[in-house]
Structure formats: C-alpha cells, structure tokens
C-alpha cells in the first residue's frame, strides 16, 4: 500500500509540473550518465529547470506531494546508489547554466561549469579564478562545499549567493554569511538550494592569467587520472597530513579490486575501470579507509557524497 501511495503522489507531482514552462521532466531517468563515476540507478522523477521560477516550482510541488528532494549538479563528487534515488531529483546542469553580468560582478546559475566561470574571469582580465580550470563540476556544487585546488578556493571569488531556503524563500547571503571553511559552508549545514552565485576577481594581466591556467591544466593532465571515471578527490585532507600520501604510504597506490581501484597515477582518486556498481565502488572506499587507519592511525573522511537509496 505504501509503495502504491508513493507512486500515485509521484504521478500527481509529474502531471502538475508537466503544465509548467521552462522545465523538462523525465520519469525513471538512469543517472549513470549524469555522474563522473558512471555508476548508480535511476531517479524516480528527474526535473531540469531552466529558470529560478521553475526551480522554485519544482521544490514547492515536490513538497506539496510529500516527496523527497535531491539536488544533483554535474555529479563530479557524488556516488549514486544502485537502487537509484527516490522522489524528485532536480538536476542543475546545462539547463541551468546561464552567466550574466551585473555591474562589476558576474552571476552564474548553479549549473554553470566551473571552467566556464574561470574562462570568463580570464577574458575580463580578472585574476584569482585560474584554479577553476582544475576543478570539475558546477558553480553551485563548488560553492556548497567550498571546492578548491592549486592553492585556490571558491570562497576567494564569491561575493554573494542567491539561496532558496528551507521555507522556500529566496535569500541573498554575502561572503561572510556563507561561513566558508575547508570543504564546508553555510549551505552544508542548512537545507535549501543554491540558485545563483555572484563572482569577481582581482584585476590582473591577461597574459599572466592565461599562463597560470595553462600551467594548472598541464599539471592536472599529468597528475590526475582524467581518462578514468571517478568522483574526483576521494577523501578530505586530514589535519596534519595528505590523504593521497597516506594511501600511497599504506601500499594501496594502484591497488585494484575487480573493476574498482586506487589510481596508479594519483592515489587520492578511486577509479571505475568499467562497469563497476556503486556498491562495489563504495566497498573500495571502505577498504581504503580501514587499511589506512590500520597502517597510519588516520581516519579518512569521504569527500565524495553518497546519495540515493543505500542499504
């Protein structure tokens, strides 16, 4: 009975949303191709809003029908359960990726690719965003977790954020209110959805900016397994150490279990050699954590987020 009730609520939600403009819907959408790990099951109802109005309508309608809501960006640091994701999955990707200028700030919808934001700042002669060339994923996801690489973090560029809060109200937070810290922000602690991010940089010489971007891209190609499906950096940096070094020192660099393993190119990455399930990938995360703890005493914390219906 409970399953039938959930199915009827899902259908009612679909029919109501299907009447709206600037919104694409797909029932039972396989999410395997929407994550960097290339693993995971389907979304009961996938919503692709194009505007803040249609995004807000998705949230309100899903809540009206008492359906769980999951937000998914470019899928660069998530692992979707093999059973999939129940309820409504709102995807903020190419459909929600417009960038516009407001005064001296650049405003990116949450689904805008980070490399595009970095490229735009470079064209405008604004320094500080060069490191974005080394981070996969979207502006919203990066802001949510204060992503960073090559001595740069998103907090250095964000001026303010448009956020749909738990009461489904749109509020604007400035940089200080975002409470950025290492892989953390206000948004990791408060329910809601990042809608738009206001960026800027520091004036600089375009030649220097592009030179730094090219150097970061080169370092990334040489050091990271970009040719393999992975979730990006697998573990957070523990205090006083580096996850990749701890894993390598524990003898796990290049270690493989079936179709999943620790990259031989960069031990901070767990990679899918092809066809691995999400459960198999997660099992390797657990193996690595346990072995590193036994050898070094450090407890690694996953940087990759698990979403969906896990056992």
């Amino acid at each position: 009975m409970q399953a039938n009730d959930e199915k009827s609520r899902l259908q009612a939600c679909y029919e109501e949303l299907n009447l709206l403009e600037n919104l694409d819907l797909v029932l039972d959408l396989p999410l395997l191709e929407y994550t960097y790990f290339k693993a995971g099951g389907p979304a009961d109802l996938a919503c692709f809003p194009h505007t803040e109005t249609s995004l807000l309508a998705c949230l309100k309608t899903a809540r009206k029908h008492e359906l769980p809501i999951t937000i998914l960006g470019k899928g660069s640091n998530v692992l979707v359960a093999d059973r999939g994701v129940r309820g409504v999955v709102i995807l903020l990707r190419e459909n929600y990726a417009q960038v516009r200028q407001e005064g001296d700030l650049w405003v990116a919808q949450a689904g805008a690719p980070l490399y595009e934001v970095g490229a735009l700042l470079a064209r405008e002669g604004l320094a500080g965003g060069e490191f974005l060339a080394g981070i996969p994923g979207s502006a919203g996801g990066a802001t949510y977790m204060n992503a960073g690489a090559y001595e740069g973090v998103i907090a250095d560029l964000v001026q303010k954020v448009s956020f749909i809060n738990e009461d489904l109200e749109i509020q604007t937070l400035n940089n200080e209110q975002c409470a950025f810290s290492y892989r953390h922000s206000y948004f990791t602690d408060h329910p809601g959805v990042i809608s738009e991010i206001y960026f800027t940089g520091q004036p600089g010489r375009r030649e220097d900016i592009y030179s730094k971007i090219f150097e970061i891209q080169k370092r990334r190609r040489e050091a990271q397994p970009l040719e393999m499906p992975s979730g990006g950096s697998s573990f957070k940096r523990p205090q006083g150490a580096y996850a990749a070094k701890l894993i390598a020192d524990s003898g796990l660099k290049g270690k493989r279990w079936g179709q999943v393993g620790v990259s031989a190119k960069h031990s901070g990455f767990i990679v899918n050699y092809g066809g691995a399930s999400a459960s198999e990938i997660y099992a390797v995360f657990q193996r690595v954590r346990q072995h590193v703890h036994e050898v070094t005493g450090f407890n690694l914390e996953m940087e990759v987020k698990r979403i969906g219906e896990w056992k």
Side-chain angles (χ1 to χ4, degrees), residues 74-305:
K74 298 288 284 184
S76 63
N77 68 323
V78 299
L79 184 59
V80 176
D82 295 318
R83 296 185 179 190
V85 187
R86 305 289 71 81
V88 174
V89 178
I90 299 175
L91 291 103
L92 303 179
R93 299 170 58 88
E94 296 81 2
N95 53 293
Y96 204 80
Q98 292 185 6
V99 181
R100 68 183 188 277
Q101 187 173 15
E102 285 192 11
D104 58 352
L105 299 180
W106 291 92
V107 188
Q109 287 184 314
L114 283 176
Y115 67 82
E116 287 190 7
V117 175
L120 186 150
L121 293 175
R123 288 198 301 271
E124 295 298 315
L126 296 172
E130 296 89 342
F131 73 97
L132 296 178
I135 305 178
S138 63
T143 302
Y144 175 87
M145 66 176 294
N146 190 23
Y150 303 104
E151 290 82 50
V153 290
I154 207 78
D156 295 338
L157 304 172
V158 173
Q159 301 303 298
K160 57 183 179 178
V161 176
S162 177
F163 180 65
I164 302 174
N165 64 24
E166 188 176 18
D167 297 323
L168 301 184
E169 300 168 338
I170 299 174
Q171 64 178 129
T172 302
L173 284 73
N174 62 31
N175 182 283
E176 184 178 353
Q177 291 170 320
C178 289
F180 289 117
S181 61
Y182 178 70
R183 300 298 180 262
H184 175 270
S185 71
Y186 170 92
F187 313 106
T188 58
D189 297 331
H190 294 81
V193 184
I194 293 172
S195 175
E196 295 182 330
I197 306 94
Y198 293 68
F199 291 101
T200 193
Q202 300 297 322
R205 295 178 67 248
R206 285 186 177 84
E207 295 84 354
D208 295 338
I209 294 170
Y210 280 111
S211 177
K212 190 171 181 180
I213 287 175
F214 295 147
E215 175 61 25
I216 286 174
Q217 289 175 330
K218 179 174 180 290
R219 289 169 61 187
R220 187 166 177 256
R221 286 194 301 269
E222 291 175 350
Q224 298 179 12
L226 304 180
E227 71 283 359
M228 301 293 296
S230 80
S233 180
S234 299
F235 298 98
K236 295 181 180 180
R237 185 179 69 227
Q239 188 172 1
Y242 291 92
K245 188 175 187 306
L246 291 173
I247 294 168
D249 290 348
S250 300
L252 295 180
K253 188 173 184 178
K255 177 71 174 177
R256 179 171 173 173
W257 297 267
Q259 292 302 103
V260 190
V262 176
S263 169
K265 197 172 187 180
H266 191 309
S267 53
F269 288 69
I270 290 175
V271 297
N272 179 357
Y273 286 97
S277 68
S279 296
E280 290 169 334
I281 294 169
Y282 181 60
V284 170
F285 271 90
Q286 296 297 80
R287 282 175 179 263
V288 171
R289 291 182 65 203
Q290 181 179 347
H291 187 72
V292 168
H293 177 67
E294 291 172 353
V295 174
T296 71
F298 280 89
N299 289 307
L300 296 180
E301 182 182 351
M302 285 180 64
E303 189 164 315
V304 172
K305 306 296 182 185

Side-chain angles (χ1 to χ4, degrees), residues 46-78:
C47 301
F48 295 83
H50 295 268
T51 63
E52 192 171 63
T53 299
S54 57
L55 168 59
L56 190 55
C58 289
L59 295 168
K60 288 181 177 179
T61 307
R63 180 174 292 187
K64 171 185 173 182
H65 293 284
E66 300 180 342
L67 293 168
I69 301 167
T70 302
I71 307 298
L72 184 62
K74 298 288 284 184
S76 63
N77 68 323
V78 299

